[in-house]
Short mmCIF file of all heavy atoms in Angstrom, two decimals:
data_model
loop_
_atom_site.label_atom_id
_atom_site.label_comp_id
_atom_site.label_asym_id
_atom_site.label_seq_id
_atom_site.Cartn_x
_atom_site.Cartn_y
_atom_site.Cartn_z
N LEU A 1768 9.05 20.60 9.19
CA LEU A 1768 7.79 21.29 8.89
C LEU A 1768 6.77 20.32 8.30
O LEU A 1768 5.57 20.43 8.58
CB LEU A 1768 8.06 22.44 7.93
CG LEU A 1768 8.83 23.63 8.51
CD1 LEU A 1768 9.13 24.66 7.42
CD2 LEU A 1768 8.03 24.29 9.64
N GLN A 1769 7.22 19.38 7.48
CA GLN A 1769 6.29 18.39 6.92
C GLN A 1769 5.67 17.55 8.02
O GLN A 1769 4.45 17.30 8.00
CB GLN A 1769 7.03 17.51 5.91
CG GLN A 1769 7.41 18.23 4.63
CD GLN A 1769 8.30 17.41 3.72
OE1 GLN A 1769 8.66 16.28 4.05
NE2 GLN A 1769 8.67 17.96 2.58
N ILE A 1770 6.48 17.12 8.97
CA ILE A 1770 5.95 16.34 10.10
C ILE A 1770 4.95 17.17 10.89
O ILE A 1770 3.86 16.70 11.24
CB ILE A 1770 7.09 15.87 11.01
CG1 ILE A 1770 7.97 14.85 10.29
CG2 ILE A 1770 6.55 15.27 12.30
CD1 ILE A 1770 9.24 14.48 11.04
N LEU A 1771 5.29 18.44 11.15
CA LEU A 1771 4.40 19.31 11.93
C LEU A 1771 3.06 19.49 11.24
O LEU A 1771 2.00 19.43 11.89
CB LEU A 1771 5.07 20.67 12.16
CG LEU A 1771 6.19 20.71 13.20
CD1 LEU A 1771 6.93 22.03 13.14
CD2 LEU A 1771 5.61 20.49 14.60
N ILE A 1772 3.07 19.71 9.94
CA ILE A 1772 1.81 19.93 9.22
C ILE A 1772 0.96 18.67 9.20
O ILE A 1772 -0.26 18.71 9.46
CB ILE A 1772 2.11 20.42 7.78
CG1 ILE A 1772 2.63 21.86 7.82
CG2 ILE A 1772 0.86 20.33 6.90
CD1 ILE A 1772 2.99 22.42 6.47
N ILE A 1773 1.58 17.51 8.90
CA ILE A 1773 0.82 16.26 8.89
C ILE A 1773 0.24 15.97 10.26
O ILE A 1773 -0.93 15.56 10.40
CB ILE A 1773 1.72 15.08 8.44
CG1 ILE A 1773 2.17 15.27 6.98
CG2 ILE A 1773 0.97 13.76 8.60
CD1 ILE A 1773 1.06 15.21 5.98
N MET A 1774 1.02 16.20 11.31
CA MET A 1774 0.54 15.94 12.67
C MET A 1774 -0.58 16.91 13.06
O MET A 1774 -1.52 16.52 13.77
CB MET A 1774 1.70 16.05 13.66
CG MET A 1774 2.72 14.93 13.57
SD MET A 1774 1.99 13.29 13.72
CE MET A 1774 2.04 12.76 12.00
N MET A 1775 -0.48 18.14 12.63
CA MET A 1775 -1.52 19.11 12.95
C MET A 1775 -2.85 18.68 12.33
O MET A 1775 -3.90 18.69 12.99
CB MET A 1775 -1.13 20.50 12.43
CG MET A 1775 -2.19 21.57 12.69
SD MET A 1775 -1.75 23.17 11.96
CE MET A 1775 -1.93 22.77 10.20
N ILE A 1776 -2.81 18.27 11.05
CA ILE A 1776 -4.04 17.84 10.38
C ILE A 1776 -4.57 16.56 11.02
O ILE A 1776 -5.77 16.42 11.28
CB ILE A 1776 -3.79 17.62 8.87
CG1 ILE A 1776 -3.29 18.91 8.22
CG2 ILE A 1776 -5.07 17.16 8.18
CD1 ILE A 1776 -2.89 18.73 6.76
N LEU A 1777 -3.66 15.61 11.30
CA LEU A 1777 -4.06 14.35 11.93
C LEU A 1777 -4.71 14.61 13.29
O LEU A 1777 -5.73 13.99 13.63
CB LEU A 1777 -2.82 13.46 12.09
CG LEU A 1777 -3.05 11.97 12.39
CD1 LEU A 1777 -3.67 11.28 11.18
CD2 LEU A 1777 -1.72 11.30 12.74
N ARG A 1778 -4.13 15.53 14.05
CA ARG A 1778 -4.67 15.85 15.37
C ARG A 1778 -6.05 16.51 15.27
O ARG A 1778 -6.95 16.23 16.08
CB ARG A 1778 -3.70 16.80 16.10
CG ARG A 1778 -4.18 17.23 17.49
CD ARG A 1778 -4.17 16.06 18.45
NE ARG A 1778 -4.64 16.43 19.77
CZ ARG A 1778 -5.91 16.45 20.14
NH1 ARG A 1778 -6.86 16.09 19.28
NH2 ARG A 1778 -6.27 16.79 21.37
N LEU A 1779 -6.24 17.37 14.27
CA LEU A 1779 -7.50 18.08 14.12
C LEU A 1779 -8.59 17.24 13.46
O LEU A 1779 -9.78 17.54 13.61
CB LEU A 1779 -7.29 19.35 13.30
CG LEU A 1779 -6.44 20.44 13.95
CD1 LEU A 1779 -6.21 21.59 12.97
CD2 LEU A 1779 -7.10 20.96 15.23
N VAL A 1780 -8.19 16.21 12.75
CA VAL A 1780 -9.16 15.40 12.00
C VAL A 1780 -9.39 14.04 12.66
O VAL A 1780 -10.37 13.86 13.39
CB VAL A 1780 -8.71 15.23 10.53
CG1 VAL A 1780 -9.70 14.35 9.77
CG2 VAL A 1780 -8.59 16.59 9.84
N GLU A 1781 -8.49 13.09 12.43
CA GLU A 1781 -8.72 11.72 12.92
C GLU A 1781 -8.77 11.63 14.44
O GLU A 1781 -9.53 10.84 15.00
CB GLU A 1781 -7.64 10.78 12.38
CG GLU A 1781 -7.86 10.32 10.95
CD GLU A 1781 -7.49 11.37 9.92
OE1 GLU A 1781 -6.79 12.35 10.30
OE2 GLU A 1781 -7.87 11.23 8.74
N TYR A 1782 -7.96 12.45 15.13
CA TYR A 1782 -7.94 12.37 16.59
C TYR A 1782 -9.07 13.14 17.25
O TYR A 1782 -9.18 13.17 18.48
CB TYR A 1782 -6.58 12.84 17.12
CG TYR A 1782 -5.57 11.71 17.18
CD1 TYR A 1782 -4.84 11.34 16.05
CD2 TYR A 1782 -5.37 10.97 18.33
CE1 TYR A 1782 -3.93 10.29 16.08
CE2 TYR A 1782 -4.47 9.92 18.38
CZ TYR A 1782 -3.76 9.59 17.25
OH TYR A 1782 -2.87 8.53 17.29
#
Side-chain angles (χ1 to χ4, degrees):
L1768 290 175
Q1769 289 172 0
I1770 293 172
L1771 285 169
I1772 288 178
I1773 295 294
M1774 290 305 104
M1775 179 184 70
I1776 301 174
L1777 195 68
R1778 179 68 181 87
L1779 293 175
V1780 178
E1781 281 77 15
Y1782 273 83

